Amino acid sequence: MSDIETLIERPGMRWHGTTSVRELKHVIESQQFTVPLLMELFERSQGMERVVARGGSLDYQNKIMATLFYEPSTRTRFAFEAAMYRLGGKVLSTEQARVFSSAVEGERMEDLIRIVAGYADVIVIRHHQEGGARRAAEVSRVPVINAGDGEGGQHPTQALLDLYTIYRERPLNGLSVAFIGELDKGRTARSLTYLLAKFERVKIFFVAPPQLQMKPDILEYLDRHGVRYELESDIDRVVGVADVLYQTRIRPDRAADPTSLRKYTIDSTVLQRMKPSAMILHPLPRTVELDNTVDSDPRALYFRQAINGLYVRMALLTMLLERE
């Protein structure tokens, strides 16, 4: 039994052999994940907390992960790279591949993926075009993980760590979640919405200026799956009833009136109206939409949320690499 299996196996749970894990070839979108697969991932993620506390593992010392980022990122890239190192693996990394690779000379992304797949056992890609990760997966012989694609695309691993953070605090069935901010192009909010729709009695509030409201494709998906939701432009109408306030940025250049953005800010005044048991999440980075005074409130979980990203990505890597 491997180092990691010793720390993760639980009575009644198998580390290997579940049909859902065997079928997980790539991670491209949140819709891929069934509830049983999510629970498997979260069990492993809890095990990874113990692995990290012990100093990591050498179980994957013969595996290589390539991070191929066509857009700059710090948190997501570091989290993936730290995850691989904690598992004992190695990393090939490039940031801003759109500028520093042969892409600047017109090389097709698919050609680069075919080559990198010969060097690495798993590829993590962030692409500036929606659908970029799917294109990569179609030509790759090793697993591809979508680390964010385009504006209004998806960011499934962010959604997985978001959901795991909520899961560690309270049941997911019967949850009420308010997404606040720039939602039309918010790939984190879009991805998490797909996951929330898999649970019972969920209620979602989309709080945004009308021109930045959630796109119809997500709303139609919720309608098809019988998930309750409301569109709001006033944070005051939801702050007292939501179990989770999921705050995102609003870029000033996208607001018709930048001074109106204060209406969507979480500050000490909002804290006073929140439920005592509620939680505040944010995918980060933040600007003016989340006041620094909120950080000391025990309901502010966004830094813990970021750390949870390490455990979830470690768990996800094991699920993909054990297939190889």
Side-chain angles (χ1 to χ4, degrees):
M1 182 176 291
S2 74
D3 225 12
I4 289 178
E5 286 176 293
T6 303
L7 290 171
I8 294 181
E9 276 202 327
R10 301 175 185 274
M13 175 187 166
R14 291 182 297 165
W15 171 254
H16 292 290
T18 63
T19 301
S20 55
V21 172
R22 285 201 303 267
E23 293 176 351
L24 188 65
K25 172 62 176 174
H26 305 286
V27 176
I28 305 302
E29 59 185 15
S30 292
Q31 297 95 304
Q32 294 175 246
F33 288 84
T34 61
V35 171
L37 184 55
L38 287 169
M39 294 302 105
E40 164 77 356
L41 176 66
F42 292 168
E43 287 281 359
R44 293 187 183 215
S45 299
Q46 288 180 263
M48 293 305 165
E49 294 185 34
R50 296 188 291 277
V51 171
V52 171
R54 269 192 13 166
S57 168
L58 295 177
D59 283 0
Y60 292 84
Q61 59 185 316
N62 295 322
K63 297 295 185 179
I64 296 174
M65 178 184 74
T67 56
L68 189 60
F69 280 58
Y70 285 78
E71 287 185 332
S73 169
T74 302
R75 282 156 298 277
T76 300
R77 184 168 63 90
F78 276 15
F80 268 113
E81 293 180 5
M84 194 61 179
Y85 283 127
R86 291 293 190 186
L87 292 171
K90 302 172 180 65
V91 175
L92 302 174
S93 181
T94 179
E95 188 170 25
Q96 299 192 57
R98 192 176 177 185
V99 176
F100 296 119
S101 78
S102 297
V104 75
E105 298 175 1
E107 181 183 38
R108 294 178 69 246
M109 182 264 288
E110 286 86 349
D111 291 348
L112 181 58
I113 292 295
R114 288 187 175 97
I115 294 168
V116 174
Y119 302 153
D121 301 287
V122 59
I123 297 172
V124 178
I125 183 170
R126 170 167 287 192
H127 203 267
H128 55 286
Q129 295 177 342
E130 186 176 340
R134 183 177 299 281
R135 287 167 47 205
E138 288 172 353
V139 300
S140 177
R141 64 181 183 84
V142 302
V144 170
I145 302 175
N146 181 2
D149 63 336
E151 287 195 339
Q154 284 211 40
H155 195 345
T157 65
Q158 177 69 48
L160 292 170
L161 73 91
D162 295 339
L163 193 66
Y164 179 67
T165 302
I166 301 170
Y167 168 82
R168 295 288 272 144
E169 299 295 323
R170 62 185 304 138
L172 297 175
N173 290 325
L175 197 68
S176 60
V177 179
F179 290 101
I180 306 165
E182 185 179 319
L183 304 183
D184 62 333
K185 295 185 178 181
R187 55 193 177 196
T188 60
R190 291 171 59 82
S191 295
L192 183 54
T193 297
Y194 281 123
L195 293 183
L196 290 170
K198 300 178 184 298
F199 295 89
E200 301 295 328
R201 305 184 314 281
V202 167
K203 174 70 177 290
I204 300 176
F205 300 94
F206 296 114
V207 186
Q211 71 274 19
L212 304 180
Q213 211 17 297
M214 184 58 77
K215 288 182 178 179
D217 63 325
I218 294 290
L219 306 182
E220 291 166 4
Y221 182 88
L222 296 178
D223 287 335
R224 289 198 305 273
H225 290 82
V227 179
R228 296 176 301 152
Y229 66 87
E230 292 182 17
L231 304 181
E232 288 285 355
S233 59
D234 187 352
I235 191 174
D236 291 335
R237 297 185 63 177
V238 304
V239 70
V241 298
D243 299 312
V244 180
L245 297 183
Y246 191 98
Q247 179 70 281
T248 66
R249 289 183 295 172
I250 299 180
R251 289 170 288 182
D253 61 300
R254 296 208 64 214
D257 177 12
T259 62
S260 68
L261 298 185
R262 294 297 302 177
K263 294 196 309 182
Y264 302 94
T265 296
I266 296 179
D267 55 19
S268 57
T269 303
V270 173
L271 291 178
Q272 294 172 12
R273 300 196 300 273
M274 286 174 55
K275 294 166 66 172
S277 61
M279 65 186 79
I280 302 170
L281 300 183
H282 193 303
L284 302 176
R286 63 174 164 183
T287 53
V288 299
E289 75 283 350
L290 185 57
D291 195 83
N292 292 343
T293 59
V294 177
D295 295 353
S296 59
D297 192 286
R299 294 168 293 184
L301 300 186
Y302 32 87
F303 293 121
R304 189 187 311 172
Q305 176 188 357
I307 297 300
N308 284 341
L310 171 66
Y311 310 134
V312 170
R313 288 173 174 120
M314 289 174 68
L316 193 61
L317 284 168
T318 67
M319 292 171 79
L320 292 168
L321 290 171
E322 74 179 37
R323 299 180 68 262
E324 294 302 296

